[in-house]
mmCIF file of all heavy atoms in Angstrom:
data_model
loop_
_atom_site.group_PDB
_atom_site.id
_atom_site.type_symbol
_atom_site.label_atom_id
_atom_site.label_comp_id
_atom_site.label_asym_id
_atom_site.label_seq_id
_atom_site.Cartn_x
_atom_site.Cartn_y
_atom_site.Cartn_z
ATOM 1 N N PRO H 879 11.074 49.576 -0.772
ATOM 2 C CA PRO H 879 12.501 49.368 -0.943
ATOM 3 C C PRO H 879 12.848 48.638 -2.255
ATOM 4 O O PRO H 879 12.010 47.887 -2.745
ATOM 5 C CB PRO H 879 12.868 48.522 0.246
ATOM 6 C CG PRO H 879 11.675 48.411 1.092
ATOM 7 C CD PRO H 879 10.491 48.918 0.358
ATOM 8 N N GLU H 880 13.979 48.874 -2.746
ATOM 9 C CA GLU H 880 14.492 48.197 -3.928
ATOM 10 C C GLU H 880 15.155 46.852 -3.543
ATOM 11 O O GLU H 880 15.607 46.761 -2.399
ATOM 12 C CB GLU H 880 15.507 49.065 -4.655
ATOM 13 C CG GLU H 880 14.919 50.325 -5.246
ATOM 14 C CD GLU H 880 13.924 50.086 -6.371
ATOM 15 O OE1 GLU H 880 14.235 49.140 -7.200
ATOM 16 O OE2 GLU H 880 12.854 50.751 -6.405
ATOM 17 N N PRO H 881 15.245 45.915 -4.398
ATOM 18 C CA PRO H 881 16.003 44.625 -4.067
ATOM 19 C C PRO H 881 17.450 44.993 -3.716
ATOM 20 O O PRO H 881 18.045 45.915 -4.249
ATOM 21 C CB PRO H 881 15.883 43.835 -5.370
ATOM 22 C CG PRO H 881 15.005 44.557 -6.329
ATOM 23 C CD PRO H 881 14.773 45.917 -5.827
ATOM 24 N N ILE H 882 18.000 44.153 -2.838
ATOM 25 C CA ILE H 882 19.394 44.320 -2.516
ATOM 26 C C ILE H 882 20.347 43.597 -3.394
ATOM 27 O O ILE H 882 21.531 43.810 -3.444
ATOM 28 C CB ILE H 882 19.716 43.881 -1.041
ATOM 29 C CG1 ILE H 882 19.359 42.410 -0.828
ATOM 30 C CG2 ILE H 882 18.989 44.738 -0.032
ATOM 31 C CD1 ILE H 882 19.865 41.821 0.448
ATOM 32 N N ASN H 883 19.778 42.650 -4.194
ATOM 33 C CA ASN H 883 20.565 41.826 -5.054
ATOM 34 C C ASN H 883 19.705 41.046 -5.998
ATOM 35 O O ASN H 883 18.427 41.072 -5.876
ATOM 36 C CB ASN H 883 21.317 40.772 -4.187
ATOM 37 C CG ASN H 883 22.508 40.138 -4.838
ATOM 38 O OD1 ASN H 883 22.784 40.469 -6.034
ATOM 39 N ND2 ASN H 883 23.162 39.308 -4.172
ATOM 40 N N LYS H 884 20.299 40.431 -6.959
ATOM 41 C CA LYS H 884 19.532 39.460 -7.839
ATOM 42 C C LYS H 884 20.408 38.249 -7.900
ATOM 43 O O LYS H 884 21.637 38.274 -7.860
ATOM 44 C CB LYS H 884 19.349 40.045 -9.214
ATOM 45 C CG LYS H 884 18.311 41.168 -9.266
ATOM 46 C CD LYS H 884 18.013 41.518 -10.727
ATOM 47 C CE LYS H 884 16.993 42.667 -10.782
ATOM 48 N NZ LYS H 884 15.632 42.169 -10.754
ATOM 49 N N ARG H 885 19.704 37.035 -8.016
ATOM 50 C CA ARG H 885 20.465 35.823 -8.099
ATOM 51 C C ARG H 885 19.642 34.820 -8.954
ATOM 52 O O ARG H 885 18.399 34.966 -9.069
ATOM 53 C CB ARG H 885 20.871 35.207 -6.785
ATOM 54 C CG ARG H 885 19.729 34.651 -5.996
ATOM 55 C CD ARG H 885 20.275 33.916 -4.775
ATOM 56 N NE ARG H 885 20.964 34.852 -3.910
ATOM 57 C CZ ARG H 885 20.699 34.975 -2.629
ATOM 58 N NH1 ARG H 885 19.794 34.268 -2.013
ATOM 59 N NH2 ARG H 885 21.362 35.852 -1.916
ATOM 60 N N THR H 896 16.187 36.208 -10.022
ATOM 61 C CA THR H 896 15.214 36.401 -8.963
ATOM 62 C C THR H 896 15.720 37.626 -8.096
ATOM 63 O O THR H 896 16.888 37.651 -7.655
ATOM 64 C CB THR H 896 15.022 35.166 -8.156
ATOM 65 O OG1 THR H 896 14.615 34.103 -9.007
ATOM 66 C CG2 THR H 896 14.019 35.330 -7.072
ATOM 67 N N SER H 897 14.841 38.573 -7.776
ATOM 68 C CA SER H 897 15.171 39.701 -6.895
ATOM 69 C C SER H 897 15.271 39.203 -5.437
ATOM 70 O O SER H 897 14.521 38.315 -5.043
ATOM 71 C CB SER H 897 14.094 40.773 -6.972
ATOM 72 O OG SER H 897 14.112 41.303 -8.269
ATOM 73 N N VAL H 898 16.179 39.785 -4.645
ATOM 74 C CA VAL H 898 16.416 39.378 -3.271
ATOM 75 C C VAL H 898 16.187 40.690 -2.423
ATOM 76 O O VAL H 898 16.718 41.768 -2.759
ATOM 77 C CB VAL H 898 17.827 38.896 -3.082
ATOM 78 C CG1 VAL H 898 18.141 38.535 -1.605
ATOM 79 C CG2 VAL H 898 18.185 37.731 -4.022
ATOM 80 N N TYR H 899 15.400 40.499 -1.384
ATOM 81 C CA TYR H 899 15.062 41.602 -0.460
ATOM 82 C C TYR H 899 15.478 41.245 0.972
ATOM 83 O O TYR H 899 15.449 40.028 1.303
ATOM 84 C CB TYR H 899 13.582 41.869 -0.416
ATOM 85 C CG TYR H 899 13.112 42.515 -1.738
ATOM 86 C CD1 TYR H 899 12.708 41.722 -2.796
ATOM 87 C CD2 TYR H 899 12.864 43.913 -1.880
ATOM 88 C CE1 TYR H 899 12.237 42.297 -3.968
ATOM 89 C CE2 TYR H 899 12.384 44.449 -3.030
ATOM 90 C CZ TYR H 899 12.073 43.671 -4.033
ATOM 91 O OH TYR H 899 11.561 44.220 -5.168
ATOM 92 N N ARG H 900 15.847 42.224 1.755
ATOM 93 C CA ARG H 900 16.015 41.998 3.199
ATOM 94 C C ARG H 900 14.619 42.204 3.849
ATOM 95 O O ARG H 900 13.963 43.216 3.557
ATOM 96 C CB ARG H 900 16.961 43.049 3.861
ATOM 97 C CG ARG H 900 18.393 42.823 3.589
ATOM 98 C CD ARG H 900 19.030 41.586 4.266
ATOM 99 N NE ARG H 900 18.971 41.635 5.733
ATOM 100 C CZ ARG H 900 19.030 40.564 6.491
ATOM 101 N NH1 ARG H 900 19.233 39.395 5.961
ATOM 102 N NH2 ARG H 900 19.006 40.647 7.802
ATOM 103 N N ARG H 901 14.235 41.236 4.656
ATOM 104 C CA ARG H 901 12.869 41.394 5.277
ATOM 105 C C ARG H 901 12.727 42.648 6.068
ATOM 106 O O ARG H 901 11.702 43.291 6.095
ATOM 107 C CB ARG H 901 12.594 40.153 6.097
ATOM 108 C CG ARG H 901 11.223 40.322 6.780
ATOM 109 C CD ARG H 901 10.672 39.106 7.341
ATOM 110 N NE ARG H 901 9.348 39.357 7.832
ATOM 111 C CZ ARG H 901 8.629 38.517 8.531
ATOM 112 N NH1 ARG H 901 9.131 37.369 8.794
ATOM 113 N NH2 ARG H 901 7.440 38.795 8.956
ATOM 114 N N SER H 902 13.756 43.020 6.794
ATOM 115 C CA SER H 902 13.737 44.208 7.657
ATOM 116 C C SER H 902 13.456 45.440 6.864
ATOM 117 O O SER H 902 13.027 46.495 7.392
ATOM 118 C CB SER H 902 15.035 44.423 8.465
ATOM 119 O OG SER H 902 16.082 44.486 7.580
ATOM 120 N N MET H 903 13.651 45.526 5.507
ATOM 121 C CA MET H 903 13.455 46.670 4.720
ATOM 122 C C MET H 903 11.984 46.716 4.095
ATOM 123 O O MET H 903 11.624 47.751 3.626
ATOM 124 C CB MET H 903 14.442 46.654 3.586
ATOM 125 C CG MET H 903 15.905 46.793 4.030
ATOM 126 S SD MET H 903 17.136 46.617 2.725
ATOM 127 C CE MET H 903 16.732 48.070 1.725
ATOM 128 N N LEU H 904 11.268 45.631 4.219
ATOM 129 C CA LEU H 904 9.930 45.528 3.667
ATOM 130 C C LEU H 904 8.977 46.351 4.525
ATOM 131 O O LEU H 904 9.130 46.355 5.815
ATOM 132 C CB LEU H 904 9.414 44.129 3.511
ATOM 133 C CG LEU H 904 10.361 43.273 2.604
ATOM 134 C CD1 LEU H 904 9.752 41.829 2.509
ATOM 135 C CD2 LEU H 904 10.412 43.849 1.197
ATOM 136 N N GLN H 908 3.332 46.621 1.166
ATOM 137 C CA GLN H 908 4.200 46.213 0.003
ATOM 138 C C GLN H 908 3.770 44.887 -0.503
ATOM 139 O O GLN H 908 3.509 43.954 0.261
ATOM 140 C CB GLN H 908 5.654 46.191 0.368
ATOM 141 C CG GLN H 908 6.598 45.895 -0.819
ATOM 142 C CD GLN H 908 8.072 46.170 -0.490
ATOM 143 O OE1 GLN H 908 8.459 46.353 0.651
ATOM 144 N NE2 GLN H 908 8.848 46.223 -1.508
ATOM 145 N N LEU H 910 4.808 41.984 -3.569
ATOM 146 C CA LEU H 910 5.814 41.557 -4.515
ATOM 147 C C LEU H 910 5.388 40.360 -5.269
ATOM 148 O O LEU H 910 4.802 39.390 -4.683
ATOM 149 C CB LEU H 910 7.139 41.272 -3.850
ATOM 150 C CG LEU H 910 7.752 42.314 -2.998
ATOM 151 C CD1 LEU H 910 8.874 41.721 -2.111
ATOM 152 C CD2 LEU H 910 8.298 43.434 -3.874
ATOM 153 N N VAL H 914 10.676 35.679 -5.993
ATOM 154 C CA VAL H 914 11.377 36.638 -5.102
ATOM 155 C C VAL H 914 11.998 35.850 -3.921
ATOM 156 O O VAL H 914 11.391 34.808 -3.574
ATOM 157 C CB VAL H 914 10.447 37.787 -4.690
ATOM 158 C CG1 VAL H 914 9.322 37.272 -3.720
ATOM 159 C CG2 VAL H 914 11.202 38.899 -4.048
ATOM 160 N N VAL H 915 13.085 36.335 -3.439
ATOM 161 C CA VAL H 915 13.731 35.776 -2.255
ATOM 162 C C VAL H 915 13.732 36.891 -1.182
ATOM 163 O O VAL H 915 14.109 37.935 -1.426
ATOM 164 C CB VAL H 915 15.148 35.284 -2.543
ATOM 165 C CG1 VAL H 915 15.856 34.816 -1.256
ATOM 166 C CG2 VAL H 915 15.209 34.198 -3.607
ATOM 167 N N ILE H 916 13.262 36.521 0.034
ATOM 168 C CA ILE H 916 13.266 37.433 1.153
ATOM 169 C C ILE H 916 14.163 36.826 2.215
ATOM 170 O O ILE H 916 13.861 35.704 2.708
ATOM 171 C CB ILE H 916 11.852 37.669 1.682
ATOM 172 C CG1 ILE H 916 10.968 38.240 0.553
ATOM 173 C CG2 ILE H 916 11.869 38.594 2.889
ATOM 174 C CD1 ILE H 916 9.508 38.396 0.826
ATOM 175 N N GLU H 917 15.252 37.514 2.565
ATOM 176 C CA GLU H 917 16.230 37.010 3.514
ATOM 177 C C GLU H 917 16.145 37.726 4.851
ATOM 178 O O GLU H 917 15.809 38.908 4.921
ATOM 179 C CB GLU H 917 17.660 37.253 2.994
ATOM 180 C CG GLU H 917 17.980 36.468 1.708
ATOM 181 C CD GLU H 917 19.345 36.712 1.254
ATOM 182 O OE1 GLU H 917 19.944 37.838 1.536
ATOM 183 O OE2 GLU H 917 19.930 35.847 0.604
ATOM 184 N N GLU H 918 16.334 36.997 5.917
ATOM 185 C CA GLU H 918 16.544 37.547 7.226
ATOM 186 C C GLU H 918 17.574 36.665 7.913
ATOM 187 O O GLU H 918 17.983 35.651 7.435
ATOM 188 C CB GLU H 918 15.226 37.669 8.004
ATOM 189 C CG GLU H 918 14.454 36.416 8.170
ATOM 190 C CD GLU H 918 13.090 36.657 8.837
ATOM 191 O OE1 GLU H 918 13.027 37.457 9.786
ATOM 192 O OE2 GLU H 918 12.161 36.044 8.423
#
Side-chain angles (χ1 to χ4, degrees):
E880 294 294 321
I882 59 169
N883 197 1
K884 289 190 181 272
R885 73 171 63 126
T896 305
S897 296
V898 179
Y899 291 83
R900 284 292 298 160
R901 178 165 184 188
S902 60
M903 296 173 65
L904 300 180
Q908 184 166 13
L910 302 168
V914 66
V915 174
I916 300 173
E917 296 180 333
E918 57 185 320

